[in-house]
Amino acid sequence: MTRFWLVLFTTLFLLAPTGAEARKVALIIGNSDYANTSHLVNPANDIKLVAASARSAGFDDVTVAADLAVNEFQKAMRDFRAKAEGADVAMVYYAGHGIEAQGKNWLIPTDAQLKSDLDLPYEAINLDRLMESVSGAQIRMVILDSCRNNPFGRSWRSGTRAVQTGLAGVEADDVLVIFAAAPGQTAADGSGANSPFATSLAKRLPQPDLPVQLLGGAIRDDVLAATGGLQRPFVSASITGTPVYLVPRPGAANRAAMEELMWKGALADNSISAFKSYLAEFPAGKYAAQASDGVARLTRDPKAPAPAAITAAVRPAGPQYILSNIRVDCVKLTGRLGLGLPDQLFLRFNTGERFPEGKSEIFSIKKGESWVVDKAFSFDQPVSFQLREFDDIGGSDHIGTVDLGSEPGTFTRTLTGDASDYRVTYTLTVG
């Protein structure tokens, strides 16, 4: 019994708040007061709102910087890179002028003159450098409220490759990048004190039980609604499919960790008292059946060893939901750009998983064709998935959502989003 209480006390010690908990760091930059181009009103307000939201979401080191000239911008990135090294989460938020030129994205310091696009490497900040500042963290987030009109391009020489609006999409490994607007679109400052994008980000960052992988989608929906569909944020995500929560559901993480450790302690002690203590704390816990079996076994024979099946039991006792035999039939297809081009399909689950994972593996489909998904998916709870297709500017459009529910069987659903018509057939097995 001594071993059991030792494990239990260790459990409580491990779950107590300490300085060694997950470390989250943030760099919040807002450029408003430009010396050589148009002044922006809201970034000064936006960085205050986002910084307060980040602190509410548990970021324990939040650096706020305003109106950075190029040298100050570079120093801020260099200093933050050192803070982000080894952090669990590192996030950079930038509000200010940002443009696409020479096939790259650039963030504009307040002292930039940019008389030519050839000045960009000397007077502007390449987005790649900003993303390097979070490279030492496990979860990396770069959030850009900067897709505004290019205020310098009118004076550039003829033939420049700069575009006049927005930023270009990026494909970055292990980084969540959220743009305030889709590639080629511009982001509005808004009519209030804060931009629609900053308002949504501040609302969503501290939202409990929202995986980081779904943060961009939630912001996208908010901004679309706030702007009447005129501004659509864009997400580039190539991060782990395992859900990551900035703010877990209140008490859920600690309670689950306590149950796991308490169960391991009961197994180690292999006593009636230990199993009953587990049942008293978690009467409907995922190991309740094994604990009851342990009590019954030891009541019959107090010296009986723990069976190997119980000793190794660390799996959830609940049912498993197996999704298989997915077939997607294209009944009607508008065709991208109105030219009858095929849709590029993929599945996105509300757990954060996407299939296929790589954009190069996306399935192309035309009217009358079918996509047979050659993979089964296993979950420990009922889930839903979206059928989505890549659009022509680097984002993706929602065709429809399938809620699996918990009843086994073979089902067919019709999805009619984005002016297309798809029939989805699948089998759900519960066991």
Side-chain angles (χ1 to χ4, degrees), residues 241-242 321-328 347-349 351-358 361 363 371-379 385 404 424-429:
T242 302
Y321 298 84
I322 311 298
L323 173 64
S324 61
N325 302 326
I326 303 173
R327 178 189 176 98
V328 180
L347 306 179
R348 178 186 290 167
F349 294 87
T351 59
E353 182 179 356
R354 191 177 90 174
F355 182 83
E357 293 183 1
E361 302 168 322
F363 190 86
W371 175 25
V372 178
V373 179
D374 57 350
K375 180 180 178 180
F377 304 86
S378 178
F379 307 95
F385 67 86
L404 296 182
V424 180
T425 304
Y426 62 92
T427 298
L428 181 66
T429 304

Side-chain angles (χ1 to χ4, degrees), residues 92-342:
V92 176
Y93 168 82
Y94 171 76
H97 279 302
I99 61 176
E100 187 271 330
Q102 300 179 354
K104 300 177 182 178
N105 290 317
W106 305 87
L107 310 181
I108 311 302
T110 55
D111 61 345
Q113 298 184 41
L114 296 180
K115 295 179 180 178
S116 164
D117 63 322
L118 299 178
D119 295 328
L120 283 164
Y122 308 99
E123 299 181 17
I125 303 297
N126 190 323
L127 178 58
D128 292 343
R129 301 290 80 77
L130 186 67
M131 291 202 288
E132 284 176 1
S133 70
V134 300
S135 61
Q138 294 184 34
I139 299 298
R140 308 157 190 172
M141 305 167 60
V142 174
I143 303 174
L144 302 169
D145 195 356
S146 55
C147 312
R148 294 171 168 84
N149 285 322
N150 178 356
F152 301 96
R154 294 184 185 91
S155 64
W156 290 354
R157 71 187 189 280
S158 176
T160 182
R161 288 179 290 168
V163 298
Q164 295 298 316
T165 58
L167 296 176
V170 298
E171 288 290 338
D173 288 335
D174 298 322
V175 184
L176 170 65
V177 185
I178 306 177
F179 293 90
Q185 290 186 344
T186 56
D189 246 6
S191 56
N194 299 103
S195 74
F197 183 78
T199 300
S200 175
L201 174 63
K203 167 187 169 184
R204 296 295 185 176
L205 267 183
Q207 179 177 327
D209 213 28
L210 177 67
V212 167
Q213 291 87 341
L214 300 183
L215 175 63
I219 293 172
R220 178 183 186 272
D221 293 344
D222 289 345
V223 175
L224 277 170
T227 63
L230 297 178
Q231 180 178 330
R232 181 176 63 183
F234 170 71
V235 181
S236 172
S238 178
I239 59 176
T240 175
T242 302
V244 175
Y245 300 91
L246 293 178
V247 183
R249 181 183 295 121
N254 283 358
R255 187 76 175 160
M258 181 177 178
E259 180 180 7
E260 292 293 334
L261 288 173
M262 197 170 183
W263 173 243
K264 290 178 181 177
L267 286 176
D269 196 68
N270 191 34
S271 68
I272 292 176
S273 297
F275 286 123
K276 283 186 174 180
S277 294
Y278 169 84
L279 287 170
E281 186 67 28
F282 300 99
K286 60 183 180 181
Y287 305 116
Q290 292 98 315
S292 297
D293 290 344
V295 171
R297 170 177 52 80
L298 292 170
T299 300
R300 293 191 301 269
D301 182 359
K303 296 184 179 180
I310 291 182
T311 303
V314 293
R315 299 185 305 273
Q320 291 291 298
Y321 298 84
I322 311 298
L323 173 64
S324 61
N325 302 326
I326 303 173
R327 178 189 176 98
V328 180
D329 297 307
C330 182
V331 179
K332 174 188 173 184
L333 178 67
T334 301
R336 293 181 295 123
L337 297 176
L339 301 176
L341 298 175

